Amino acid sequence: SKYTWVDKDTCIACGACGATAPDIYDYDDEGLAEVIFDGDNNRGVMAIPDDMFEDMQDACDGCPTDSIHIEDAPFNKEA
Ligand code: F3S
């Protein structure tokens, strides 16, 4: 399985990830990205389906600040 998490401390609200993978990433009130898939709430705990891996990787590769993180295990971040 794959899990993803956005580091809001380094996100510059460029807006690319939500355009690339709108089912996984959206923005908070400040325009900072967060993982919204299946209610993840940017905790990095929801397994991303295989058929979304390509969009997820494209978003990761396209982030100018490398703020999108992908791992094989849950991140278990605080909401
Ligand atoms: Fe932020 Fe990177 Fe998305 S800067 S808005 S996480 S593409």
Side-chain angles (χ1 to χ4, degrees):
S1 299
K2 296 283 187 188
Y3 302 82
T4 181
W5 168 70
V6 177
D7 186 349
K8 292 192 182 194
D9 288 341
T10 58
C11 172
I12 57 170
C14 84
C17 55
T20 302
D23 294 329
I24 303 174
Y25 307 103
D26 201 353
Y27 312 106
D28 67 14
D29 292 344
E30 296 178 336
L32 300 175
E34 55 193 11
V35 176
I36 52 97
F37 176 74
D38 206 8
D40 187 273
N41 203 20
N42 206 41
R43 297 183 60 226
V45 295
M46 299 306 297
I48 305 300
D50 292 16
D51 62 3
M52 291 185 180
F53 282 6
E54 193 170 333
D55 280 355
M56 178 170 64
Q57 191 61 54
D58 286 349
C60 181
D61 293 343
C63 177
T65 59
D66 294 330
S67 298
I68 295 177
H69 299 271
I70 299 171
E71 295 286 353
D72 295 335
F75 287 88
N76 289 318
K77 297 289 184 178
E78 297 289 330

